[in-house]
Amino acid sequence: MTRDAGTYVFTLYVAGATERSDAARSNLRRLCASRLVDGYEVTVIDVVDRPELAEEHRILATPTVIRIAPLPQRRVIGDLSDERRAALALGLPDSAELSEERGGDD
């Protein structure tokens, strides 16, 4: 698969089918859909099923999301329920930048 340079790539680490895991998954997808005009990819890894990946990527708590691209990588631990804080921590464009990219009025 070829990625567009503007595509954001995330890996979300969760532990089982819990409310917190489901919330993190939903919140990340909602955050991406509302802020990323050039597209995004989300891979979800359940550390219960794949503990070796958790160890390899030094996942100490779940849920944890890692922004893989664009570089530099960024990590956020938690369910991402505070959209503004999560967007800032993941380095996502803010609403003003989005409006400009979409050709909106100031």
Side-chain angles (χ1 to χ4, degrees):
M1 170 188 335
T2 306
R3 284 189 190 125
D4 180 3
T7 300
Y8 280 69
V9 180
F10 302 92
T11 302
L12 174 63
Y13 293 86
V14 298
T18 65
E19 271 187 47
R20 192 163 164 86
S21 295
D22 291 344
R25 199 179 343 257
S26 296
N27 290 337
L28 179 59
R29 291 190 197 287
R30 182 174 35 258
L31 184 63
C32 290
S34 70
R35 292 187 176 245
L36 300 176
V37 296
D38 290 332
Y40 63 94
E41 297 173 20
V42 174
T43 301
V44 179
I45 296 175
D46 188 333
V47 300
V48 172
D49 296 334
R50 304 290 310 270
E52 72 282 1
L53 290 177
E55 185 175 335
E56 179 182 332
H57 295 110
R58 295 181 297 237
I59 302 302
L60 303 176
T62 58
T64 294
V65 63
I66 301 176
R67 186 187 79 188
I68 305 297
L71 292 174
Q73 289 187 1
R74 293 186 177 204
R75 286 178 184 240
V76 176
I77 298 170
D79 68 5
L80 310 173
S81 58
D82 184 335
E83 183 176 326
R84 188 171 163 277
R85 262 180 110 183
L88 183 62
L90 289 169
L92 303 183
D94 67 21
S95 301
E97 291 173 35
L98 278 178
S99 182
E100 289 174 15
E101 286 179 20
R102 292 180 178 162
D105 295 328
D106 289 310

